[in-house]
Amino acid sequence: MASSGGGGGGEGAGLPPVRIGDVRGSAFSIGGKDVSNSTVNHGGTGAGADAGAAGPGAQELLEAVRDLRAALVRLPRSDGRAALDAELDEAAGELESGGEEVRPGLPARLRGALERWAPLVDSVSAATALAALLTSFGG
């Protein structure tokens, strides 16, 4: 369990504590200005984890791609933004038409796009969440 207490001096003093309990089947980002920390947990790993819990599916990946595309709109227009949006649009089309299965090679292509355009999306928490989700596909 993660927590951020309000006790002691320094930054965060006087703020209420934040507690995060058990999280499963989720990809999320937490961060502030120019800082983003991401956590992914698919099915857990401890004794309380669901036996045989499946990893993320096409729908979950599609939602993360859509979230990133929506976040890109808030970035300044550029050739890089347009190119990344085109790559994400193509991936979203594959995910929409592919049913429940994620086509082989798609996670690697998305991962490559995020690496290629990292300077553009470095501060976008939706990119961090998508990258974290992609790690569950391995490779």
Short mmCIF file of all heavy atoms in Angstrom, two decimals, residues 6 13 22-24 30-31 35 45 73 78 81 83 85 87 92-93 98 101 112-113 123 128 132 134-135 139:
data_model
loop_
_atom_site.label_atom_id
_atom_site.label_comp_id
_atom_site.label_asym_id
_atom_site.label_seq_id
_atom_site.Cartn_x
_atom_site.Cartn_y
_atom_site.Cartn_z
N GLY A 6 0.86 13.41 5.93
CA GLY A 6 0.93 14.84 6.15
C GLY A 6 1.78 15.18 7.34
O GLY A 6 1.94 16.33 7.69
N ALA A 13 3.65 19.10 4.21
CA ALA A 13 3.24 19.21 5.60
C ALA A 13 1.85 19.82 5.67
O ALA A 13 1.53 20.77 4.97
CB ALA A 13 4.24 20.06 6.38
N ASP A 22 -5.56 -1.86 -2.73
CA ASP A 22 -5.39 -2.90 -3.72
C ASP A 22 -5.94 -2.43 -5.07
O ASP A 22 -7.10 -2.04 -5.17
CB ASP A 22 -6.14 -4.14 -3.25
CG ASP A 22 -5.85 -5.36 -4.09
OD1 ASP A 22 -4.79 -5.39 -4.73
OD2 ASP A 22 -6.68 -6.27 -4.10
N VAL A 23 -5.10 -2.45 -6.11
CA VAL A 23 -5.51 -2.03 -7.45
C VAL A 23 -5.23 -3.18 -8.40
O VAL A 23 -4.12 -3.70 -8.43
CB VAL A 23 -4.72 -0.78 -7.89
CG1 VAL A 23 -5.13 -0.38 -9.29
CG2 VAL A 23 -4.94 0.36 -6.93
N ARG A 24 -6.23 -3.55 -9.19
CA ARG A 24 -6.07 -4.65 -10.14
C ARG A 24 -6.66 -4.28 -11.48
O ARG A 24 -7.64 -3.57 -11.55
CB ARG A 24 -6.77 -5.91 -9.63
CG ARG A 24 -6.11 -6.44 -8.40
CD ARG A 24 -6.71 -7.70 -7.97
NE ARG A 24 -6.09 -8.03 -6.70
CZ ARG A 24 -6.33 -9.11 -6.03
NH1 ARG A 24 -7.19 -9.97 -6.50
NH2 ARG A 24 -5.74 -9.34 -4.90
N ILE A 30 -0.04 9.17 -12.03
CA ILE A 30 -0.19 10.16 -10.98
C ILE A 30 0.98 11.10 -11.12
O ILE A 30 2.11 10.67 -11.27
CB ILE A 30 -0.16 9.49 -9.58
CG1 ILE A 30 -1.29 8.48 -9.46
CG2 ILE A 30 -0.25 10.54 -8.48
CD1 ILE A 30 -1.23 7.64 -8.22
N GLY A 31 0.73 12.37 -11.08
CA GLY A 31 1.84 13.30 -11.19
C GLY A 31 1.37 14.73 -11.13
O GLY A 31 0.18 15.02 -11.05
N VAL A 35 6.07 16.20 -13.78
CA VAL A 35 6.40 14.96 -13.07
C VAL A 35 5.26 13.99 -13.27
O VAL A 35 4.10 14.34 -13.10
CB VAL A 35 6.58 15.21 -11.55
CG1 VAL A 35 6.83 13.91 -10.83
CG2 VAL A 35 7.71 16.17 -11.29
N THR A 45 0.08 -9.94 -7.77
CA THR A 45 1.11 -10.97 -7.72
C THR A 45 1.11 -11.73 -6.41
O THR A 45 1.76 -12.75 -6.30
CB THR A 45 2.51 -10.35 -7.91
OG1 THR A 45 2.70 -9.36 -6.90
CG2 THR A 45 2.66 -9.75 -9.28
N VAL A 73 -4.26 16.82 -28.25
CA VAL A 73 -4.96 18.03 -28.71
C VAL A 73 -4.51 19.25 -27.91
O VAL A 73 -4.48 20.37 -28.42
CB VAL A 73 -6.49 17.83 -28.63
CG1 VAL A 73 -7.23 19.11 -28.92
CG2 VAL A 73 -6.90 16.73 -29.58
N SER A 78 2.28 20.72 -34.28
CA SER A 78 3.60 20.52 -34.87
C SER A 78 3.53 19.32 -35.80
O SER A 78 2.58 18.55 -35.77
CB SER A 78 4.65 20.26 -33.78
OG SER A 78 4.42 19.00 -33.16
N ARG A 81 3.53 16.17 -33.66
CA ARG A 81 2.21 15.85 -33.09
C ARG A 81 1.31 15.21 -34.13
O ARG A 81 0.62 14.22 -33.87
CB ARG A 81 1.56 17.11 -32.52
CG ARG A 81 0.26 16.81 -31.79
CD ARG A 81 -0.43 18.06 -31.34
NE ARG A 81 -1.60 18.27 -32.17
CZ ARG A 81 -2.45 19.25 -32.05
NH1 ARG A 81 -2.27 20.17 -31.13
NH2 ARG A 81 -3.50 19.34 -32.83
N ALA A 83 2.25 13.53 -36.80
CA ALA A 83 2.75 12.20 -37.14
C ALA A 83 2.38 11.18 -36.06
O ALA A 83 1.95 10.07 -36.37
CB ALA A 83 4.27 12.24 -37.33
N ASP A 85 -0.12 11.43 -33.94
CA ASP A 85 -1.57 11.25 -34.00
C ASP A 85 -1.97 10.30 -35.12
O ASP A 85 -2.85 9.46 -34.95
CB ASP A 85 -2.27 12.60 -34.16
CG ASP A 85 -3.78 12.47 -34.01
OD1 ASP A 85 -4.23 11.93 -32.98
OD2 ASP A 85 -4.51 12.89 -34.93
N GLU A 87 -0.11 7.83 -36.30
CA GLU A 87 0.25 6.48 -35.87
C GLU A 87 -0.77 5.93 -34.87
O GLU A 87 -1.17 4.77 -34.93
CB GLU A 87 1.64 6.47 -35.24
CG GLU A 87 2.76 6.66 -36.25
CD GLU A 87 4.12 6.48 -35.63
OE1 GLU A 87 4.41 5.37 -35.13
OE2 GLU A 87 4.90 7.46 -35.64
N ALA A 92 -5.54 2.66 -33.40
CA ALA A 92 -6.92 2.62 -32.92
C ALA A 92 -7.82 1.90 -33.93
O ALA A 92 -8.68 1.10 -33.54
CB ALA A 92 -7.44 4.04 -32.67
N GLY A 93 -7.60 2.14 -35.21
CA GLY A 93 -8.37 1.45 -36.24
C GLY A 93 -8.16 -0.06 -36.19
O GLY A 93 -9.12 -0.83 -36.32
N GLY A 98 -10.19 -5.40 -34.75
CA GLY A 98 -9.56 -6.68 -34.42
C GLY A 98 -10.29 -7.53 -33.40
O GLY A 98 -9.82 -8.60 -33.05
N GLU A 101 -8.80 -9.60 -29.63
CA GLU A 101 -7.37 -9.91 -29.73
C GLU A 101 -6.56 -8.68 -30.15
O GLU A 101 -7.01 -7.90 -30.98
CB GLU A 101 -7.15 -11.03 -30.75
CG GLU A 101 -7.74 -12.36 -30.33
CD GLU A 101 -7.09 -12.94 -29.09
OE1 GLU A 101 -5.84 -12.90 -29.00
OE2 GLU A 101 -7.82 -13.42 -28.22
N GLY A 112 7.35 1.68 -30.00
CA GLY A 112 8.29 2.41 -30.85
C GLY A 112 7.86 3.84 -31.09
O GLY A 112 8.68 4.76 -31.09
N ALA A 113 6.57 4.04 -31.31
CA ALA A 113 6.05 5.40 -31.52
C ALA A 113 6.26 6.25 -30.28
O ALA A 113 6.66 7.42 -30.37
CB ALA A 113 4.57 5.35 -31.89
N SER A 123 5.74 14.84 -20.90
CA SER A 123 4.97 15.35 -19.76
C SER A 123 3.49 15.00 -19.82
O SER A 123 2.71 15.45 -18.99
CB SER A 123 5.13 16.87 -19.66
OG SER A 123 4.57 17.48 -20.81
N THR A 128 2.33 8.09 -20.43
CA THR A 128 2.93 7.24 -19.40
C THR A 128 2.03 6.05 -19.11
O THR A 128 2.51 4.93 -18.96
CB THR A 128 3.16 8.06 -18.12
OG1 THR A 128 3.94 9.21 -18.44
CG2 THR A 128 3.87 7.25 -17.06
N ALA A 132 3.03 2.15 -19.75
CA ALA A 132 2.97 1.18 -18.67
C ALA A 132 2.09 -0.01 -19.06
O ALA A 132 2.42 -1.16 -18.77
CB ALA A 132 2.45 1.85 -17.40
N LEU A 134 1.61 -1.11 -22.06
CA LEU A 134 2.33 -1.87 -23.08
C LEU A 134 3.36 -2.82 -22.47
O LEU A 134 3.67 -3.86 -23.03
CB LEU A 134 3.00 -0.94 -24.08
CG LEU A 134 2.06 -0.22 -25.03
CD1 LEU A 134 2.79 0.88 -25.79
CD2 LEU A 134 1.39 -1.19 -25.98
N THR A 135 3.88 -2.48 -21.29
CA THR A 135 4.86 -3.37 -20.66
C THR A 135 4.26 -4.72 -20.32
O THR A 135 4.96 -5.73 -20.28
CB THR A 135 5.47 -2.75 -19.39
OG1 THR A 135 4.44 -2.55 -18.42
CG2 THR A 135 6.19 -1.46 -19.67
N GLY A 139 8.19 -7.88 -24.30
CA GLY A 139 8.97 -7.47 -25.46
C GLY A 139 9.80 -6.29 -25.30
O GLY A 139 9.81 -5.37 -24.71
#
